[in-house]
């Protein structure tokens, strides 16, 4: 549906961009920081690890100045649990507290709203060694950790995100840093994270009078490959397992019925501890944040079907007897094989708003590509501009459809280490000069998309045109 009178983005729309601590800070063991599971995970030889990343820890002042120059209204970043509590519990690391005070204050100095993810894939290694999320003690550790965050930063941070992509940590546990455990244990871990999240939401409302908090899963609408009723059923079941299981607990305090009965059938139901039900029901998010990259397509799957590959956040393989991931022939792909589906973004926004009726902020959306730095210091990333423009157009349409969207944070503010595919897969508006294993000078360069997004923000999303000639005329690509 097209609109003859298309309304624009709301006034005060939060145009932003995001990063996460382990993917950009570096200083992995500096100033008292403890090891997280990301610091000990096995990295394929020749691929970047997280020791230096893009050295944001030492360069945050110049980086945030660049984000301010781009015009950001909000900067989404995560706090490394192990910088605050090196062992996950126990003694607080004052240098860690001081670092994030500086980051928050620097944002505020430029009028940028800080949006804090409290946990982005980087569980403290010490907690992991003690059983990780399977151990209910991790719920208490998380509650204590977030209490420290609210008490130290709650006077200045308004927007809090509980757990980044809990659904992906559960569905793709091995590639995102935690190794394999049985499916039953994984669902119990998931339940413990749900309870931990609920406790964080309750605490936020108690401690931070102006605080707003929400979950941040990865949402991908699931298309049936055909209009065969069996394919539609497969898509619905997979969508319940992939998307709604997590959001239903966060919003309604109870599991999605389809997802629950799938777990019952597979004998992987989580066990509720005493008091869990009340805690889950008492917690209420103020908004829903979600990360959107693309959509999935599935068909019904035979019981004896062999499932190939492992998939990743955006690539569905399947589960025998339930659903089988197929290539969507209507959609192009990035160089890394992820589908590109801007209209799917509109579908996702409408679906999430229709289900939960809560304001939405997009916390990730972007394209990972092999960027190249030209001899005169430029990065002509027209593919990124194209990707983002099409998604912003669809977001505007979704707003016209009625979805209450209050912010958009593309991934990522600057190049950083991918969650499992190294440094060559670049997402940022700002190029960071390093390779997979050589740190070079780590100098920052503004990509063409930097100037483009700057104009998008300054016109509140009205001007999405790609005027590369003007932008590269004298200013684009200058280093700072
Ligand atoms: C999301 C994660 C991010 C980010 C992004 C891109 O799943 O929340 O941390 O990495 O995906 O994924 P990747 O880095 O694997 O390309």
């Amino acid at each position: 549906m097209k609109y003859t009178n298309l309304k624009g983005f709301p006034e005060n729309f939060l145009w932003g961009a995001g990063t996460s601590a382990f993917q950009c800070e570096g200083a992995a063991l500096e100033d008292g920081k403890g090891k997280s599971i990301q610091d000990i995970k096995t990295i394929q030889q020749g691929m970047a690890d997280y020791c230096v990343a893009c050295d944001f820890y030492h360069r945050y002042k110049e980086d945030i100045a660049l984000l301010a120059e781009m015009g950001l209204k909000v900067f989404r970043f995560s706090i490394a649990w192990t910088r605050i509590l090196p062992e996950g519990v126990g003694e607080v690391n004052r240098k860690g507290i001081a670092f994030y005070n500086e980051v928050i204050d620097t944002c505020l100095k430029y009028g940028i709203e800080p949006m804090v993810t409290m946990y982005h894939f980087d569980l403290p290694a010490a907690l992991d060694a003690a059983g990780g999320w399977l151990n209910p003690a991790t719920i208490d550790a998380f509650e204590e950790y977030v209490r420290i965050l609210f008490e130290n930063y709650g006077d200045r941070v308004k927007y809090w995100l509980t757990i980044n992509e809990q659904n992906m940590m559960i569905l793709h546990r091995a590639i995102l840093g935690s190794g394999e455990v049985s499916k039953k244990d994984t669902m119990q871990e998931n339940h413990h994270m749900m309870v931990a999240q609920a406790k964080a939401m309750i605490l936020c409302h108690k401690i931070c009078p102006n605080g707003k908090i929400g979950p941040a899963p990865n949402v991908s609408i699931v298309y049936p490959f055909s209009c065969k009723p069996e394919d539609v059923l497969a898509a619905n079941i997979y969508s319940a397992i992939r998307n709604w299981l997590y959001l239903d607990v966060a919003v309604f305090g109870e599991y999605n019925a389809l997802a629950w009965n799938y777990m019952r059938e597979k004998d992987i139901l989580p066990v509720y501890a005493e008091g869990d039900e009340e805690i889950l029901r008492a917690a209420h998010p103020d908004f829903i944040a979600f990360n959107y990259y693309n959509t999935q397509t599935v068909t019904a799957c035979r019981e004896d079907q062999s499932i190939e590959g492992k998939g990743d956040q955006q690539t569905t393989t399947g589960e025998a007897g339930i659903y089988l991931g197929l290539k969507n022939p209507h959609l192009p792909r990035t160089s890394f094989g992820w589908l590109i589906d801007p209209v799917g973004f509109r579908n996702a926004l409408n679906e999430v708003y229709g289900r939960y009726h809560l304001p939405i902020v997009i916390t990730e959306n972007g394209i990972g590509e092999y960027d190249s730095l030209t001899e005169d210091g430029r990065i002509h990333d027209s593919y990124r501009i194209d990707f983002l423009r099409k998604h912003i157009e669809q977001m505007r349409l979704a707003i016209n459809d009625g979805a209450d969207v209050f912010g958009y944070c593309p991934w990522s503010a600057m190049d950083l280490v991918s969650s499992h595919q190294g440094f060559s897969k670049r997402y940022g508006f700002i190029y960071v000069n390093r390779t997979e294993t050589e740190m070079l000078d780590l100098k920052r360069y503004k990509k063409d998309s930097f100037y483009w997004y700057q104009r998008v923000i300054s016109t509140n999303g009205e001007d999405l045109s790609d005027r590369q000639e003007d932008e590269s005329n004298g200013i684009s690509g200058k280093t700072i």
Side-chain angles (χ1 to χ4, degrees), residues 137-255:
T138 302
I139 303 174
D140 303 331
F142 186 73
E143 192 181 13
E144 188 46 31
Y145 160 60
V146 303
R147 179 194 303 281
I148 295 167
L149 301 190
F150 296 145
E151 284 173 355
N152 281 276
Y153 310 124
D155 56 334
R156 285 153 295 151
V157 173
K158 180 169 168 196
Y159 295 104
W160 297 94
L161 308 169
T162 54
I163 301 178
N164 179 70
E165 294 196 355
Q166 179 176 330
N167 54 340
M168 294 300 104
M169 281 195 274
I170 293 302
L171 294 171
H172 300 289
R173 199 176 187 286
I175 64 162
L176 296 177
S178 311
E180 300 268 20
V181 296
S182 72
K183 270 197 149 188
K184 191 169 176 61
D185 282 353
T186 309
M187 295 326 290
Q188 189 63 47
E189 290 183 338
N190 181 60
H191 180 76
H192 289 159
M193 280 193 228
M194 289 295 182
V195 175
Q197 167 171 271
K199 287 188 162 188
M201 294 195 289
I202 293 168
L203 205 55
C204 178
H205 292 138
K206 208 154 125 192
I207 298 183
C208 314
N210 300 317
K212 293 192 182 294
I213 187 163
N218 175 309
V219 171
S220 206
I221 294 300
V222 183
Y223 299 143
F225 188 72
S226 76
C227 53
K228 275 201 329 222
E230 290 79 4
D231 282 359
V232 176
L233 187 65
N236 283 339
I237 297 176
Y238 179 46
S239 200
I241 299 168
R242 191 199 188 283
N243 300 307
W244 317 133
L245 185 155
Y246 308 86
L247 281 173
D248 280 15
V249 181
V251 179
F252 306 134
E254 64 180 50
Y255 281 86

Side-chain angles (χ1 to χ4, degrees), residues 52 65 76 101 113 157 237 243 294 333 392 405 438 453:
V52 177
R76 178 213 179 196
N101 266 326
E113 190 83 62
V157 173
I237 297 176
N243 300 307
N294 57 30
R333 286 166 184 263
I392 292 172
V405 188
E438 284 175 280
Y453 195 45

Side-chain angles (χ1 to χ4, degrees), residues 19-20 22-23 76 120-121 164-165 168 175-176 218 291 293 312-314 336 338 364 368 411 416-422 425 427:
T19 59
S20 85
F22 79 97
Q23 293 174 278
R76 178 213 179 196
H120 192 126
F121 298 168
N164 179 70
E165 294 196 355
M168 294 300 104
I175 64 162
L176 296 177
N218 175 309
N291 301 347
Y293 287 89
D312 64 18
Q313 301 102 301
Q314 303 309 143
F336 288 82
W338 283 11
E364 287 183 30
W411 187 260
L416 35 70
V417 189
S418 149
S419 70
H420 69 297
Q421 287 176 307
K425 190 183 191 186
Y427 283 91

Side-chain angles (χ1 to χ4, degrees), residues 340-415:
I340 301 176
D341 186 359
V343 177
F345 188 31
R346 180 179 180 184
N347 286 328
L349 287 161
N350 284 334
E351 183 70 26
V352 169
Y353 189 67
R355 279 176 178 266
Y356 303 108
H357 295 272
L358 282 170
I360 296 173
V361 58
I362 294 304
T363 36
E364 287 183 30
N365 174 231
I367 183 168
E369 277 296 340
Y370 297 102
D371 292 339
S372 50
L373 180 64
T374 61
E375 271 178 19
D376 56 351
R378 294 172 182 178
I379 302 93
H380 298 306
D381 57 343
S382 53
Y383 37 86
R384 182 162 295 109
I385 293 173
D386 195 47
F387 179 100
L388 294 171
R389 182 182 51 243
K390 287 179 176 153
H391 284 79
I392 292 172
E393 279 167 1
Q394 293 299 321
M395 177 167 58
R396 182 169 174 176
L397 284 165
I399 291 172
N400 277 266
D401 293 336
D404 178 2
V405 188
F406 68 94
Y408 177 67
C409 297
W411 187 260
S412 51
M414 58 201 293
D415 289 343

Side-chain angles (χ1 to χ4, degrees), residues 20 23 61 78 90 95 100 105 118 121 131 197 200 205 225 234 257 265 291 341 427 434 440 450 454:
S20 85
Q23 293 174 278
K61 280 196 181 137
S78 80
K95 285 190 175 163
Y100 294 109
D105 290 343
M118 299 190 285
F121 298 168
Q197 167 171 271
H205 292 138
F225 188 72
E265 171 59 22
N291 301 347
D341 186 359
Y427 283 91
R434 59 161 285 184
L440 305 180
F450 178 102
Q454 188 181 51

